[in-house]
Amino acid sequence: VQNMSQSIEVLDRRTQRDLQFVEKMEVQLKGLETKFQQVEDGHESNWAKQYQSIKAKMEELRPLIPVLEAYKADALLVRQFKEEAANVTELLGSMQEQLGGVDYQEVHSRVLDLEERLRACMQRLACGKLTGISEPVTIKTSGSRFGSWMTDPLAAAGDSRVWYMDGYHNNRFVREYPSMYDFMTTDNFTSHRLPHPWSGTGQVVYNGSIYFNKFQSHTIIKFDFSTSLISRSRQLDFAGYNNMYHYAWGGHSDIDLMVDEGGLWAVYATNQNAGNIVLSQLNPNTLQIVRSWTTNHPKRSAGEAFMICGMLYVTNGYSGGTKVYYAYSTNSSTYEYIDIPLTNKYSHLSMLDYNPRDRALYAWNNGHQVLYNVTLHHIIQ
């Protein structure tokens, strides 16, 4: 229930901001419709004809109004979720005080029902298409020119540990900072020694384990921090490695692991796909490929890449003026060219990854650890 309540709060903050825009847009649409009616009623027919082309556009916009109404209803649903979660929390508190005084099955049923409806609502509202990237916020300046840093998107509420990996090869030490505050202000960290050095900067921490590409191989390793043991390893068949199909900046960045709302992904290239990007969804427990997509984008021409809501976004470079310009949708197996500026403040990106819990991009920019907020256009289904 606490986890659900936290998710509801995040969802509520997201929807309330968008709802203000939706309500304003709805007023404008209805106002336009009223004005067109006044024009038609108040003028002779020959005057009204001048407005026919504009009115035709209004007819195209009119179907948006019920869509906006549906969005408002979803926002109301989120507020109802907040109330229900609070009621369930109160019931559970009373159960602790008076064991047996409350029907456990009834409460359990209410929790399951709330969770199911919350997940359905989040699937409708939480995901969307990238429409903007904020100015960067520099969290810290440390390390070499290349590296990676991240938080765990599946960490429990209150767990804000930061993971830090300096360099792109011949290193096997991962720093764990207790919190973002410790990462920003102190050198208070625990060091974990991986059984093998990593390759590139495409590592990701997910549900308490780190996933990384073993140096000079196409092997992916899942290392459990709690046991300090490898819990799974698997070769990514046909994937280029050892600087065969790296990003434009080099650095053994052949295999890039990433996470979004849908789970764990691998971005790489193969000879079979002529060096173009291959995108595979991985089972986080077994590391087996669930499904793969072949794109037409050369891996070596990509600056960096990241996943949001099942869509792969690729930048046009890693230095100087940078933008996100290519997007591949796994839902439709189609691609498009886009133009979303990305402020490259320190002129050399060697890591760019999305965290679905924070709804932010983590970047390693020339020895600076940087965050970007993202704006998503919610797709109402």
Side-chain angles (χ1 to χ4, degrees), residues 142-150 162-169 171-177 183 192 194 196-205 210-213 225 350-351 364 369:
S142 65
S144 64
R145 195 175 191 184
F146 316 97
S148 61
W149 72 293
M150 64 216 79
V162 175
W163 312 90
Y164 174 95
M165 305 171 73
D166 191 11
Y168 63 81
H169 72 302
N171 193 352
R172 59 176 70 185
F173 289 95
V174 182
R175 292 183 182 180
E176 175 192 328
Y177 290 84
F183 177 66
H192 300 269
L194 300 178
H196 305 284
W198 66 77
S199 185
T201 59
Q203 307 86 11
V204 64
V205 174
I210 185 167
Y211 298 78
F212 67 96
N213 175 209
F225 282 121
S350 62
M351 171 256 176
W364 190 290
Q369 291 74 54

mmCIF file of all heavy atoms in Angstrom, residues 142-150 162-169 171-177 183 192 194 196-205 210-213 225 350-351 364 369:
data_model
loop_
_atom_site.group_PDB
_atom_site.id
_atom_site.type_symbol
_atom_site.label_atom_id
_atom_site.label_comp_id
_atom_site.label_asym_id
_atom_site.label_seq_id
_atom_site.Cartn_x
_atom_site.Cartn_y
_atom_site.Cartn_z
ATOM 1 N N SER A 142 33.265 14.998 -11.188
ATOM 2 C CA SER A 142 34.219 14.016 -10.668
ATOM 3 C C SER A 142 34.544 13.004 -11.747
ATOM 4 O O SER A 142 33.812 12.844 -12.726
ATOM 5 C CB SER A 142 33.646 13.297 -9.435
ATOM 6 O OG SER A 142 32.511 12.530 -9.800
ATOM 7 N N GLY A 143 35.657 12.297 -11.548
ATOM 8 C CA GLY A 143 36.003 11.209 -12.437
ATOM 9 C C GLY A 143 36.661 11.666 -13.724
ATOM 10 O O GLY A 143 36.979 12.837 -13.922
ATOM 11 N N SER A 144 36.844 10.703 -14.616
ATOM 12 C CA SER A 144 37.496 10.956 -15.890
ATOM 13 C C SER A 144 36.483 11.470 -16.911
ATOM 14 O O SER A 144 35.334 11.771 -16.576
ATOM 15 C CB SER A 144 38.158 9.678 -16.397
ATOM 16 O OG SER A 144 37.166 8.690 -16.653
ATOM 17 N N ARG A 145 36.910 11.547 -18.146
ATOM 18 C CA ARG A 145 36.046 12.050 -19.207
ATOM 19 C C ARG A 145 34.869 11.115 -19.481
ATOM 20 O O ARG A 145 33.818 11.550 -19.932
ATOM 21 C CB ARG A 145 36.867 12.237 -20.484
ATOM 22 C CG ARG A 145 36.197 13.073 -21.536
ATOM 23 C CD ARG A 145 37.140 13.300 -22.719
ATOM 24 N NE ARG A 145 36.607 14.306 -23.627
ATOM 25 C CZ ARG A 145 37.177 14.655 -24.768
ATOM 26 N NH1 ARG A 145 38.304 14.072 -25.131
ATOM 27 N NH2 ARG A 145 36.630 15.574 -25.534
ATOM 28 N N PHE A 146 35.068 9.830 -19.197
ATOM 29 C CA PHE A 146 34.055 8.827 -19.534
ATOM 30 C C PHE A 146 33.606 8.093 -18.280
ATOM 31 O O PHE A 146 34.398 7.844 -17.369
ATOM 32 C CB PHE A 146 34.633 7.799 -20.519
ATOM 33 C CG PHE A 146 35.442 8.388 -21.627
ATOM 34 C CD1 PHE A 146 36.823 8.434 -21.533
ATOM 35 C CD2 PHE A 146 34.836 8.902 -22.753
ATOM 36 C CE1 PHE A 146 37.589 8.971 -22.557
ATOM 37 C CE2 PHE A 146 35.579 9.448 -23.783
ATOM 38 C CZ PHE A 146 36.965 9.495 -23.680
ATOM 39 N N GLY A 147 32.342 7.709 -18.236
ATOM 40 C CA GLY A 147 31.841 6.943 -17.101
ATOM 41 C C GLY A 147 30.335 6.846 -17.122
ATOM 42 O O GLY A 147 29.664 7.258 -18.081
ATOM 43 N N SER A 148 29.791 6.302 -16.039
ATOM 44 C CA SER A 148 28.336 6.175 -15.931
ATOM 45 C C SER A 148 27.941 6.291 -14.468
ATOM 46 O O SER A 148 28.720 5.992 -13.562
ATOM 47 C CB SER A 148 27.849 4.836 -16.508
ATOM 48 O OG SER A 148 28.416 3.754 -15.804
ATOM 49 N N TRP A 149 26.719 6.743 -14.251
ATOM 50 C CA TRP A 149 26.172 6.819 -12.893
ATOM 51 C C TRP A 149 24.671 6.634 -12.991
ATOM 52 O O TRP A 149 24.061 6.906 -14.030
ATOM 53 C CB TRP A 149 26.549 8.144 -12.222
ATOM 54 C CG TRP A 149 25.825 9.353 -12.749
ATOM 55 C CD1 TRP A 149 25.943 9.912 -13.993
ATOM 56 C CD2 TRP A 149 24.876 10.154 -12.048
ATOM 57 N NE1 TRP A 149 25.126 11.018 -14.116
ATOM 58 C CE2 TRP A 149 24.465 11.189 -12.937
ATOM 59 C CE3 TRP A 149 24.338 10.116 -10.754
ATOM 60 C CZ2 TRP A 149 23.536 12.156 -12.575
ATOM 61 C CZ3 TRP A 149 23.413 11.087 -10.398
ATOM 62 C CH2 TRP A 149 23.027 12.087 -11.290
ATOM 63 N N MET A 150 24.043 6.159 -11.918
ATOM 64 C CA MET A 150 22.633 5.789 -12.033
ATOM 65 C C MET A 150 22.028 5.539 -10.653
ATOM 66 O O MET A 150 22.738 5.416 -9.654
ATOM 67 C CB MET A 150 22.499 4.523 -12.885
ATOM 68 C CG MET A 150 23.152 3.299 -12.258
ATOM 69 S SD MET A 150 23.918 2.170 -13.435
ATOM 70 C CE MET A 150 25.460 3.014 -13.792
ATOM 71 N N VAL A 162 23.016 5.830 -4.991
ATOM 72 C CA VAL A 162 23.583 6.205 -6.281
ATOM 73 C C VAL A 162 24.749 5.272 -6.588
ATOM 74 O O VAL A 162 25.577 4.981 -5.717
ATOM 75 C CB VAL A 162 24.069 7.668 -6.273
ATOM 76 C CG1 VAL A 162 24.767 8.010 -7.579
ATOM 77 C CG2 VAL A 162 22.898 8.621 -6.020
ATOM 78 N N TRP A 163 24.824 4.821 -7.832
ATOM 79 C CA TRP A 163 25.891 3.921 -8.279
ATOM 80 C C TRP A 163 26.763 4.674 -9.279
ATOM 81 O O TRP A 163 26.257 5.361 -10.167
ATOM 82 C CB TRP A 163 25.290 2.663 -8.902
ATOM 83 C CG TRP A 163 24.216 2.071 -8.049
ATOM 84 C CD1 TRP A 163 22.877 2.363 -8.094
ATOM 85 C CD2 TRP A 163 24.376 1.136 -6.979
ATOM 86 N NE1 TRP A 163 22.202 1.652 -7.144
ATOM 87 C CE2 TRP A 163 23.099 0.886 -6.437
ATOM 88 C CE3 TRP A 163 25.475 0.468 -6.438
ATOM 89 C CZ2 TRP A 163 22.887 0.013 -5.394
ATOM 90 C CZ3 TRP A 163 25.271 -0.403 -5.385
ATOM 91 C CH2 TRP A 163 23.987 -0.634 -4.881
ATOM 92 N N TYR A 164 28.071 4.492 -9.150
ATOM 93 C CA TYR A 164 29.027 5.332 -9.880
ATOM 94 C C TYR A 164 30.145 4.452 -10.435
ATOM 95 O O TYR A 164 30.752 3.672 -9.699
ATOM 96 C CB TYR A 164 29.579 6.362 -8.891
ATOM 97 C CG TYR A 164 30.691 7.266 -9.371
ATOM 98 C CD1 TYR A 164 30.412 8.530 -9.885
ATOM 99 C CD2 TYR A 164 32.027 6.883 -9.255
ATOM 100 C CE1 TYR A 164 31.441 9.379 -10.290
ATOM 101 C CE2 TYR A 164 33.053 7.722 -9.657
ATOM 102 C CZ TYR A 164 32.755 8.966 -10.174
ATOM 103 O OH TYR A 164 33.776 9.814 -10.555
ATOM 104 N N MET A 165 30.406 4.582 -11.755
ATOM 105 C CA MET A 165 31.412 3.748 -12.424
ATOM 106 C C MET A 165 32.271 4.630 -13.317
ATOM 107 O O MET A 165 31.795 5.157 -14.327
ATOM 108 C CB MET A 165 30.716 2.644 -13.231
ATOM 109 C CG MET A 165 29.764 1.806 -12.392
ATOM 110 S SD MET A 165 28.741 0.663 -13.334
ATOM 111 C CE MET A 165 29.937 -0.576 -13.800
ATOM 112 N N ASP A 166 33.519 4.809 -12.952
ATOM 113 C CA ASP A 166 34.425 5.698 -13.670
ATOM 114 C C ASP A 166 35.164 4.919 -14.759
ATOM 115 O O ASP A 166 35.690 3.836 -14.509
ATOM 116 C CB ASP A 166 35.418 6.317 -12.677
ATOM 117 C CG ASP A 166 36.222 7.450 -13.299
ATOM 118 O OD1 ASP A 166 35.869 7.895 -14.412
ATOM 119 O OD2 ASP A 166 37.196 7.898 -12.660
ATOM 120 N N GLY A 167 35.196 5.486 -15.962
ATOM 121 C CA GLY A 167 35.914 4.863 -17.063
ATOM 122 C C GLY A 167 35.062 3.913 -17.874
ATOM 123 O O GLY A 167 33.927 3.606 -17.516
ATOM 124 N N TYR A 168 35.636 3.414 -18.988
ATOM 125 C CA TYR A 168 34.877 2.519 -19.858
ATOM 126 C C TYR A 168 35.546 1.163 -20.072
ATOM 127 O O TYR A 168 35.016 0.316 -20.789
ATOM 128 C CB TYR A 168 34.612 3.190 -21.208
ATOM 129 C CG TYR A 168 35.854 3.522 -22.025
ATOM 130 C CD1 TYR A 168 36.503 2.563 -22.780
ATOM 131 C CD2 TYR A 168 36.346 4.816 -22.052
ATOM 132 C CE1 TYR A 168 37.625 2.867 -23.531
ATOM 133 C CE2 TYR A 168 37.465 5.142 -22.798
ATOM 134 C CZ TYR A 168 38.104 4.156 -23.530
ATOM 135 O OH TYR A 168 39.216 4.462 -24.266
ATOM 136 N N HIS A 169 36.718 0.906 -19.466
ATOM 137 C CA HIS A 169 37.341 -0.407 -19.594
ATOM 138 C C HIS A 169 38.421 -0.569 -18.517
ATOM 139 O O HIS A 169 38.837 0.393 -17.874
ATOM 140 C CB HIS A 169 37.963 -0.588 -20.983
ATOM 141 C CG HIS A 169 39.202 0.224 -21.218
ATOM 142 N ND1 HIS A 169 39.208 1.595 -21.105
ATOM 143 C CD2 HIS A 169 40.466 -0.143 -21.553
ATOM 144 C CE1 HIS A 169 40.435 2.034 -21.377
ATOM 145 N NE2 HIS A 169 41.210 1.008 -21.643
ATOM 146 N N ASN A 171 38.310 -1.591 -15.582
ATOM 147 C CA ASN A 171 37.911 -1.198 -14.230
ATOM 148 C C ASN A 171 36.806 -2.140 -13.782
ATOM 149 O O ASN A 171 35.959 -2.540 -14.576
ATOM 150 C CB ASN A 171 37.425 0.248 -14.201
ATOM 151 C CG ASN A 171 37.293 0.791 -12.782
ATOM 152 O OD1 ASN A 171 37.413 0.052 -11.801
ATOM 153 N ND2 ASN A 171 37.044 2.081 -12.663
ATOM 154 N N ARG A 172 36.836 -2.511 -12.517
ATOM 155 C CA ARG A 172 35.800 -3.407 -12.004
ATOM 156 C C ARG A 172 35.266 -2.961 -10.643
ATOM 157 O O ARG A 172 34.622 -3.745 -9.951
ATOM 158 C CB ARG A 172 36.329 -4.846 -11.920
ATOM 159 C CG ARG A 172 37.553 -5.036 -11.047
ATOM 160 C CD ARG A 172 37.928 -6.512 -10.962
ATOM 161 N NE ARG A 172 38.445 -7.012 -12.216
ATOM 162 C CZ ARG A 172 38.757 -8.294 -12.445
ATOM 163 N NH1 ARG A 172 38.566 -9.192 -11.466
ATOM 164 N NH2 ARG A 172 39.236 -8.692 -13.586
ATOM 165 N N PHE A 173 35.527 -1.704 -10.258
ATOM 166 C CA PHE A 173 35.070 -1.207 -8.964
ATOM 167 C C PHE A 173 33.882 -0.255 -9.137
ATOM 168 O O PHE A 173 33.960 0.734 -9.881
ATOM 169 C CB PHE A 173 36.199 -0.505 -8.214
ATOM 170 C CG PHE A 173 37.240 -1.454 -7.710
ATOM 171 C CD1 PHE A 173 38.392 -1.694 -8.450
ATOM 172 C CD2 PHE A 173 37.049 -2.148 -6.519
ATOM 173 C CE1 PHE A 173 39.354 -2.587 -7.998
ATOM 174 C CE2 PHE A 173 37.998 -3.049 -6.060
ATOM 175 C CZ PHE A 173 39.150 -3.271 -6.802
ATOM 176 N N VAL A 174 32.789 -0.580 -8.459
ATOM 177 C CA VAL A 174 31.567 0.221 -8.502
ATOM 178 C C VAL A 174 31.368 0.881 -7.141
ATOM 179 O O VAL A 174 31.385 0.201 -6.111
ATOM 180 C CB VAL A 174 30.332 -0.649 -8.830
ATOM 181 C CG1 VAL A 174 29.079 0.213 -8.926
ATOM 182 C CG2 VAL A 174 30.560 -1.432 -10.111
ATOM 183 N N ARG A 175 31.180 2.178 -7.136
ATOM 184 C CA ARG A 175 30.918 2.885 -5.884
ATOM 185 C C ARG A 175 29.425 2.940 -5.604
ATOM 186 O O ARG A 175 28.628 3.210 -6.514
ATOM 187 C CB ARG A 175 31.459 4.312 -5.939
ATOM 188 C CG ARG A 175 32.970 4.424 -5.984
ATOM 189 C CD ARG A 175 33.375 5.887 -5.965
ATOM 190 N NE ARG A 175 34.813 6.073 -6.059
ATOM 191 C CZ ARG A 175 35.414 7.253 -6.057
ATOM 192 N NH1 ARG A 175 34.680 8.360 -5.956
ATOM 193 N NH2 ARG A 175 36.726 7.345 -6.150
ATOM 194 N N GLU A 176 29.058 2.714 -4.366
ATOM 195 C CA GLU A 176 27.670 2.840 -3.925
ATOM 196 C C GLU A 176 27.585 3.952 -2.879
ATOM 197 O O GLU A 176 28.166 3.852 -1.804
ATOM 198 C CB GLU A 176 27.178 1.524 -3.311
ATOM 199 C CG GLU A 176 25.781 1.614 -2.715
ATOM 200 C CD GLU A 176 25.421 0.396 -1.865
ATOM 201 O OE1 GLU A 176 25.903 -0.708 -2.178
ATOM 202 O OE2 GLU A 176 24.683 0.566 -0.871
ATOM 203 N N TYR A 177 26.879 5.019 -3.218
ATOM 204 C CA TYR A 177 26.658 6.124 -2.286
ATOM 205 C C TYR A 177 25.305 5.928 -1.605
ATOM 206 O O TYR A 177 24.322 5.540 -2.259
ATOM 207 C CB TYR A 177 26.682 7.458 -3.023
ATOM 208 C CG TYR A 177 28.059 7.862 -3.520
ATOM 209 C CD1 TYR A 177 28.553 7.384 -4.725
ATOM 210 C CD2 TYR A 177 28.860 8.725 -2.779
ATOM 211 C CE1 TYR A 177 29.819 7.744 -5.185
ATOM 212 C CE2 TYR A 177 30.127 9.095 -3.235
ATOM 213 C CZ TYR A 177 30.594 8.601 -4.433
ATOM 214 O OH TYR A 177 31.842 8.962 -4.878
ATOM 215 N N PHE A 183 26.151 11.563 -2.461
ATOM 216 C CA PHE A 183 26.873 11.602 -3.731
ATOM 217 C C PHE A 183 27.291 13.033 -4.084
ATOM 218 O O PHE A 183 28.414 13.267 -4.555
ATOM 219 C CB PHE A 183 25.989 11.025 -4.841
ATOM 220 C CG PHE A 183 26.609 11.082 -6.208
ATOM 221 C CD1 PHE A 183 27.740 10.333 -6.502
ATOM 222 C CD2 PHE A 183 26.067 11.886 -7.194
ATOM 223 C CE1 PHE A 183 28.319 10.383 -7.767
ATOM 224 C CE2 PHE A 183 26.642 11.937 -8.456
ATOM 225 C CZ PHE A 183 27.763 11.176 -8.744
ATOM 226 N N HIS A 192 32.262 -1.829 -4.461
ATOM 227 C CA HIS A 192 31.984 -3.216 -4.846
ATOM 228 C C HIS A 192 32.954 -3.622 -5.959
ATOM 229 O O HIS A 192 33.130 -2.886 -6.933
ATOM 230 C CB HIS A 192 30.546 -3.369 -5.360
ATOM 231 C CG HIS A 192 29.501 -3.001 -4.360
ATOM 232 N ND1 HIS A 192 28.937 -3.909 -3.502
ATOM 233 C CD2 HIS A 192 28.901 -1.807 -4.085
ATOM 234 C CE1 HIS A 192 28.035 -3.309 -2.739
ATOM 235 N NE2 HIS A 192 27.997 -2.022 -3.081
ATOM 236 N N LEU A 194 33.612 -6.002 -8.986
ATOM 237 C CA LEU A 194 32.970 -6.921 -9.910
ATOM 238 C C LEU A 194 33.928 -8.045 -10.270
ATOM 239 O O LEU A 194 35.154 -7.868 -10.266
ATOM 240 C CB LEU A 194 32.535 -6.172 -11.174
ATOM 241 C CG LEU A 194 31.547 -5.023 -10.977
ATOM 242 C CD1 LEU A 194 31.248 -4.350 -12.320
ATOM 243 C CD2 LEU A 194 30.250 -5.517 -10.345
ATOM 244 N N HIS A 196 34.505 -9.257 -13.140
ATOM 245 C CA HIS A 196 35.150 -8.981 -14.427
ATOM 246 C C HIS A 196 35.112 -7.472 -14.681
ATOM 247 O O HIS A 196 34.195 -6.787 -14.217
ATOM 248 C CB HIS A 196 34.418 -9.690 -15.577
ATOM 249 C CG HIS A 196 34.278 -11.171 -15.387
ATOM 250 N ND1 HIS A 196 35.314 -12.054 -15.566
ATOM 251 C CD2 HIS A 196 33.194 -11.912 -15.020
ATOM 252 C CE1 HIS A 196 34.896 -13.280 -15.331
ATOM 253 N NE2 HIS A 196 33.618 -13.226 -14.994
ATOM 254 N N PRO A 197 36.073 -6.950 -15.429
ATOM 255 C CA PRO A 197 35.978 -5.534 -15.821
ATOM 256 C C PRO A 197 34.840 -5.346 -16.809
ATOM 257 O O PRO A 197 34.472 -6.263 -17.541
ATOM 258 C CB PRO A 197 37.340 -5.254 -16.461
ATOM 259 C CG PRO A 197 37.842 -6.588 -16.902
ATOM 260 C CD PRO A 197 37.301 -7.593 -15.933
ATOM 261 N N TRP A 198 34.279 -4.142 -16.824
ATOM 262 C CA TRP A 198 33.180 -3.867 -17.736
ATOM 263 C C TRP A 198 33.700 -3.235 -19.024
ATOM 264 O O TRP A 198 34.837 -2.753 -19.095
ATOM 265 C CB TRP A 198 32.141 -2.966 -17.076
ATOM 266 C CG TRP A 198 32.629 -1.564 -16.764
ATOM 267 C CD1 TRP A 198 32.795 -0.534 -17.632
ATOM 268 C CD2 TRP A 198 32.994 -1.065 -15.479
ATOM 269 N NE1 TRP A 198 33.237 0.581 -16.987
ATOM 270 C CE2 TRP A 198 33.374 0.294 -15.653
ATOM 271 C CE3 TRP A 198 33.036 -1.612 -14.197
ATOM 272 C CZ2 TRP A 198 33.783 1.104 -14.589
ATOM 273 C CZ3 TRP A 198 33.448 -0.811 -13.139
ATOM 274 C CH2 TRP A 198 33.818 0.520 -13.346
ATOM 275 N N SER A 199 32.806 -3.210 -20.004
ATOM 276 C CA SER A 199 33.126 -2.617 -21.301
ATOM 277 C C SER A 199 32.111 -1.528 -21.614
ATOM 278 O O SER A 199 30.909 -1.733 -21.494
ATOM 279 C CB SER A 199 33.086 -3.697 -22.390
ATOM 280 O OG SER A 199 33.491 -3.178 -23.639
ATOM 281 N N GLY A 200 32.604 -0.339 -21.991
ATOM 282 C CA GLY A 200 31.719 0.758 -22.337
ATOM 283 C C GLY A 200 31.133 1.431 -21.120
ATOM 284 O O GLY A 200 31.590 1.275 -19.982
ATOM 285 N N THR A 201 30.053 2.190 -21.347
ATOM 286 C CA THR A 201 29.372 2.918 -20.272
ATOM 287 C C THR A 201 27.885 2.578 -20.238
ATOM 288 O O THR A 201 27.078 3.355 -19.728
ATOM 289 C CB THR A 201 29.538 4.435 -20.460
ATOM 290 O OG1 THR A 201 28.985 4.817 -21.732
ATOM 291 C CG2 THR A 201 31.009 4.841 -20.412
ATOM 292 N N GLY A 202 27.531 1.413 -20.782
ATOM 293 C CA GLY A 202 26.120 1.051 -20.905
ATOM 294 C C GLY A 202 25.596 0.193 -19.781
ATOM 295 O O GLY A 202 24.680 -0.614 -19.981
ATOM 296 N N GLN A 203 26.144 0.349 -18.566
ATOM 297 C CA GLN A 203 25.673 -0.461 -17.446
ATOM 298 C C GLN A 203 24.351 0.094 -16.906
ATOM 299 O O GLN A 203 24.014 1.257 -17.101
ATOM 300 C CB GLN A 203 26.706 -0.460 -16.309
ATOM 301 C CG GLN A 203 28.104 -0.843 -16.735
ATOM 302 C CD GLN A 203 28.910 0.325 -17.260
ATOM 303 O OE1 GLN A 203 28.520 1.478 -17.130
ATOM 304 N NE2 GLN A 203 30.047 0.037 -17.870
ATOM 305 N N VAL A 204 23.626 -0.762 -16.180
ATOM 306 C CA VAL A 204 22.386 -0.318 -15.550
ATOM 307 C C VAL A 204 22.175 -1.105 -14.257
ATOM 308 O O VAL A 204 22.490 -2.299 -14.187
ATOM 309 C CB VAL A 204 21.182 -0.503 -16.506
ATOM 310 C CG1 VAL A 204 20.932 -1.970 -16.822
ATOM 311 C CG2 VAL A 204 19.927 0.132 -15.938
ATOM 312 N N VAL A 205 21.701 -0.416 -13.217
ATOM 313 C CA VAL A 205 21.309 -1.072 -11.964
ATOM 314 C C VAL A 205 19.795 -1.210 -11.979
ATOM 315 O O VAL A 205 19.078 -0.232 -12.208
ATOM 316 C CB VAL A 205 21.774 -0.262 -10.739
ATOM 317 C CG1 VAL A 205 21.221 -0.887 -9.452
ATOM 318 C CG2 VAL A 205 23.301 -0.221 -10.678
ATOM 319 N N ILE A 210 23.348 -5.258 -10.836
ATOM 320 C CA ILE A 210 23.924 -4.476 -11.914
ATOM 321 C C ILE A 210 24.095 -5.374 -13.132
ATOM 322 O O ILE A 210 24.517 -6.535 -13.021
ATOM 323 C CB ILE A 210 25.272 -3.839 -11.514
ATOM 324 C CG1 ILE A 210 25.763 -2.924 -12.639
ATOM 325 C CG2 ILE A 210 26.321 -4.884 -11.148
ATOM 326 C CD1 ILE A 210 26.906 -2.014 -12.244
ATOM 327 N N TYR A 211 23.706 -4.847 -14.291
ATOM 328 C CA TYR A 211 23.844 -5.558 -15.559
ATOM 329 C C TYR A 211 24.935 -4.837 -16.359
ATOM 330 O O TYR A 211 24.868 -3.615 -16.545
ATOM 331 C CB TYR A 211 22.526 -5.532 -16.327
ATOM 332 C CG TYR A 211 21.377 -6.221 -15.619
ATOM 333 C CD1 TYR A 211 20.704 -5.591 -14.571
ATOM 334 C CD2 TYR A 211 20.951 -7.489 -16.010
ATOM 335 C CE1 TYR A 211 19.647 -6.218 -13.920
ATOM 336 C CE2 TYR A 211 19.887 -8.116 -15.370
ATOM 337 C CZ TYR A 211 19.239 -7.474 -14.326
ATOM 338 O OH TYR A 211 18.193 -8.089 -13.683
ATOM 339 N N PHE A 212 25.933 -5.600 -16.834
ATOM 340 C CA PHE A 212 27.008 -4.957 -17.579
ATOM 341 C C PHE A 212 27.559 -5.888 -18.643
ATOM 342 O O PHE A 212 27.376 -7.112 -18.593
ATOM 343 C CB PHE A 212 28.126 -4.489 -16.630
ATOM 344 C CG PHE A 212 28.900 -5.580 -15.942
ATOM 345 C CD1 PHE A 212 30.113 -6.038 -16.455
ATOM 346 C CD2 PHE A 212 28.429 -6.156 -14.762
ATOM 347 C CE1 PHE A 212 30.826 -7.037 -15.814
ATOM 348 C CE2 PHE A 212 29.145 -7.158 -14.110
ATOM 349 C CZ PHE A 212 30.346 -7.605 -14.644
ATOM 350 N N ASN A 213 28.243 -5.287 -19.622
ATOM 351 C CA ASN A 213 28.890 -6.023 -20.697
ATOM 352 C C ASN A 213 30.323 -6.351 -20.274
ATOM 353 O O ASN A 213 31.116 -5.465 -19.983
ATOM 354 C CB ASN A 213 28.877 -5.160 -21.962
ATOM 355 C CG ASN A 213 29.622 -5.767 -23.131
ATOM 356 O OD1 ASN A 213 30.134 -5.047 -23.969
ATOM 357 N ND2 ASN A 213 29.701 -7.090 -23.206
ATOM 358 N N PHE A 225 24.164 -7.335 -5.957
ATOM 359 C CA PHE A 225 24.905 -6.593 -4.945
ATOM 360 C C PHE A 225 24.743 -7.206 -3.549
ATOM 361 O O PHE A 225 25.649 -7.158 -2.724
ATOM 362 C CB PHE A 225 24.470 -5.129 -4.917
ATOM 363 C CG PHE A 225 25.056 -4.307 -6.031
ATOM 364 C CD1 PHE A 225 24.235 -3.654 -6.932
ATOM 365 C CD2 PHE A 225 26.427 -4.177 -6.178
ATOM 366 C CE1 PHE A 225 24.773 -2.903 -7.956
ATOM 367 C CE2 PHE A 225 26.975 -3.420 -7.196
ATOM 368 C CZ PHE A 225 26.151 -2.785 -8.096
ATOM 369 N N SER A 350 29.213 10.764 -22.903
ATOM 370 C CA SER A 350 29.634 9.368 -23.029
ATOM 371 C C SER A 350 28.648 8.419 -22.361
ATOM 372 O O SER A 350 28.885 7.207 -22.325
ATOM 373 C CB SER A 350 31.033 9.169 -22.425
ATOM 374 O OG SER A 350 31.032 9.476 -21.042
ATOM 375 N N MET A 351 27.555 8.955 -21.837
ATOM 376 C CA MET A 351 26.515 8.120 -21.237
ATOM 377 C C MET A 351 25.241 8.947 -21.135
ATOM 378 O O MET A 351 25.274 10.114 -20.750
ATOM 379 C CB MET A 351 26.951 7.636 -19.858
ATOM 380 C CG MET A 351 25.863 6.940 -19.038
ATOM 381 S SD MET A 351 25.239 8.036 -17.730
ATOM 382 C CE MET A 351 23.941 7.003 -17.041
ATOM 383 N N TRP A 364 26.616 11.408 -18.305
ATOM 384 C CA TRP A 364 28.016 11.649 -17.942
ATOM 385 C C TRP A 364 28.568 12.544 -19.038
ATOM 386 O O TRP A 364 28.710 12.121 -20.185
ATOM 387 C CB TRP A 364 28.788 10.335 -17.861
ATOM 388 C CG TRP A 364 30.163 10.463 -17.262
ATOM 389 C CD1 TRP A 364 31.237 11.078 -17.827
ATOM 390 C CD2 TRP A 364 30.603 9.942 -15.997
ATOM 391 N NE1 TRP A 364 32.332 10.979 -16.999
ATOM 392 C CE2 TRP A 364 31.974 10.279 -15.864
ATOM 393 C CE3 TRP A 364 29.996 9.214 -14.973
ATOM 394 C CZ2 TRP A 364 32.735 9.917 -14.754
ATOM 395 C CZ3 TRP A 364 30.749 8.863 -13.871
ATOM 396 C CH2 TRP A 364 32.097 9.215 -13.754
ATOM 397 N N GLN A 369 28.545 14.823 -13.796
ATOM 398 C CA GLN A 369 27.347 13.999 -13.680
ATOM 399 C C GLN A 369 26.139 14.936 -13.717
ATOM 400 O O GLN A 369 25.996 15.824 -12.876
ATOM 401 C CB GLN A 369 27.378 13.176 -12.386
ATOM 402 C CG GLN A 369 28.432 12.079 -12.401
ATOM 403 C CD GLN A 369 29.863 12.595 -12.240
ATOM 404 O OE1 GLN A 369 30.162 13.317 -11.291
ATOM 405 N NE2 GLN A 369 30.749 12.253 -13.164
#
